[in-house]
Amino acid sequence: MRLWRGLVLVLAAVALPLACAGKRAPYLVDPPPRDSGSGGEDGGLMLGDASAVPSGPCGSQTIPAVENPPNISFIIDHSASMVDQLPGNGLSKFENARIALSHVLKAVGHRINYGVTIFPGLAGVTGCEAGDQLGSFGPGDPPSYTRENKTGPRLADLLQRLTMAGVDGGTPAAPTLVHALTTLSALAGPTYVVLITDGAPNCNEDISCKAGACIPNIEGFSSSGVNCDDSFNCCAPTKQNPQANLSCVDAQASLDAVQALADAGIRTYVVGMPGSEPYEALLTSMAEIGGTARQSQPEYYSVADTDALQQALIGIAASVSISCEIQLDYEPPDPDFVNVYFDGVLVEYDPEAGWEWTSDGHVAIRGTACDQLSAGDVLEVQILAGCKTVVR
């Protein structure tokens, strides 16, 4: 299991001749003769001379990359069924969601603005109220906490709130998404929802359903000693259970809520934990309407155990917060004196498996280097000027 590591872009340069500032690939030259232990007259790397590669990044003047942090709202089911264990570590599904979120936000929190909502709401009486956001929406802790293997104060506060939340109630996904739209549509920048649930949405008192759309029937429960099967619709209100219809699958309202988010330019990722399998068609439709359907089946993120859950959240976070196309705030004085480093390790200039300049003068990470970056294996990317470009 790989921990997604957040990405910090730092572009540094020293004053170099502007005559070489054209947008082109670095040139390949044979290094001039060198005195023992000395560098070239520019003090930088000499191409083709491995002994010239510095032990760490070199450069002095910082030129920032252009950034537009995305907003991610993690909306997490904490209904009664989330107390069930998730295969992999013996902990509950809700606790696993908390742990997975911790891993992701330790790494990516400084690259995004985020908020976390749990549903049903904490102060509800029926267990069917719209969810509550835990704390304010905003950026995470600085990446220095991750480097030191520590939990920052904002994340620590969130994790404490999740621990205190407990697990109870139904799955009012539709009203929670509707409520979230008001907050999310007011945010600047690209915005995403990550919905994590272990079953079908319900809690809609305004609908009725037949046995085929009744959650107790679908999952083979019993009610007052009577089996919920084709002969008995457990979602039909009775004198003993006048609100039995709250257990109907709230499909249309949930799809409408995701559509409203999509209409506002907010994409919705759907993560289905164990227990959600009977509702594959609905979760797939939500992912399709949300604009996040995958090429593989199922089209939403179906997770069977702890590792799969963490991989799904890491993959989603990385896909919206990391790009292999790095736009620079301004061009370095000389593109032939630029190098890229992943966590202090040189990435050689290579259009197939390293990096290259784009036609508009920005940096593009390519091939296996892009795979490494996208997988979350890189905490910090540095783009530095001051030494001749090292070419593979």
Side-chain angles (χ1 to χ4, degrees):
M1 178 58 227
R2 293 182 295 191
L3 170 66
W4 194 94
R5 294 182 173 180
L7 172 63
V8 178
L9 298 178
V10 180
L11 178 62
V14 296
L16 296 172
L18 295 178
C20 298
K23 303 183 181 85
R24 63 187 188 280
Y27 50 75
L28 292 172
V29 297
D30 292 325
R34 298 178 42 155
D35 295 331
S36 176
S38 66
E41 63 182 34
D42 62 325
L45 300 185
M46 307 309 299
L47 298 183
D49 187 347
S51 66
V53 178
S55 58
C58 63
S60 59
Q61 183 182 352
T62 299
I63 304 176
V66 174
E67 295 189 54
N68 186 21
N71 309 300
I72 304 180
S73 177
F74 296 92
I75 299 181
I76 305 173
D77 183 351
H78 80 121
S79 60
S81 58
M82 288 289 283
V83 75
D84 296 339
Q85 290 186 359
L86 180 68
N89 61 11
L91 300 175
S92 72
K93 289 183 279 189
F94 185 70
E95 179 62 16
N96 271 281
R98 176 184 176 277
I99 292 171
L101 191 62
S102 173
H103 285 314
V104 173
L105 294 181
K106 279 182 178 179
V108 76
H110 63 287
R111 289 286 299 158
I112 64 174
N113 297 311
Y114 71 84
V116 175
T117 293
I118 57 174
F119 65 103
L122 294 172
V125 176
T126 67
C128 281
E129 291 80 8
D132 292 321
Q133 183 171 296
L134 303 180
S136 60
F137 206 103
D141 299 300
S144 57
Y145 288 98
T146 299
R147 293 192 187 96
E148 298 172 6
N149 196 28
K150 295 180 180 179
T151 300
R154 176 155 194 242
L155 179 55
D157 177 71
L158 171 63
L159 296 177
Q160 180 64 24
R161 291 170 184 261
L162 286 168
T163 298
M164 295 173 61
V167 178
D168 196 15
T171 312
T176 299
L177 293 172
V178 169
H179 183 69
L181 175 59
T182 302
T183 299
L184 300 181
S185 60
L187 299 176
T191 302
Y192 306 87
V193 164
V194 179
L195 177 67
I196 305 171
T197 185
D198 73 334
N202 55 20
C203 283
N204 190 339
E205 63 182 6
D206 296 326
I207 63 173
S208 61
C209 61
K210 297 181 179 180
C214 176
I215 292 174
N217 287 73
I218 294 170
E219 299 185 16
F221 295 160
S222 62
S223 176
S224 301
V226 179
N227 291 331
C228 300
D229 54 27
D230 292 341
S231 64
F232 185 79
N233 178 7
C234 286
C235 287
T238 64
K239 185 176 181 180
Q240 295 75 23
N241 187 8
Q243 293 186 306
N245 62 313
L246 291 176
S247 293
C248 291
V249 177
D250 190 21
Q252 191 57 54
S254 299
L255 294 173
D256 291 345
V258 174
Q259 183 65 65
L261 288 165
D263 291 344
I266 300 168
R267 299 170 63 188
T268 300
Y269 289 88
V270 180
V271 179
M273 300 179 76
S276 64
E277 296 86 355
Y279 312 103
E280 178 178 332
L282 174 58
L283 298 184
T284 294
S285 295
M286 293 173 71
E288 290 174 345
I289 293 173
T292 62
R294 303 190 302 162
Q295 296 298 317
S296 58
Q297 297 295 325
E299 295 178 22
Y300 64 97
Y301 289 80
S302 177
V303 298
D305 55 30
T306 302
D307 286 346
L309 173 61
Q310 293 192 20
Q311 289 172 3
L313 294 186
I314 287 168
I316 293 169
S319 69
V320 303
S321 62
I322 293 179
S323 174
C324 290
E325 304 289 329
I326 302 173
Q327 183 181 357
L328 309 181
D329 192 46
Y330 58 90
E331 294 180 39
D334 190 335
D336 294 334
F337 282 75
V338 173
N339 285 287
V340 175
Y341 297 84
F342 285 179
D343 295 328
V345 178
L346 178 72
V347 179
E348 296 172 323
Y349 185 95
D350 180 355
E352 298 298 324
W355 69 278
E356 66 175 340
W357 291 108
T358 64
S359 60
D360 57 355
H362 300 308
V363 169
I365 310 298
R366 301 300 192 198
T368 54
C370 180
D371 293 341
Q372 182 184 0
L373 182 61
S374 300
D377 291 338
V378 180
L379 177 62
E380 182 179 38
V381 173
Q382 291 176 294
I383 304 173
L384 306 177
C387 298
K388 285 187 177 180
T389 303
V390 177
V391 180
R392 179 170 298 177

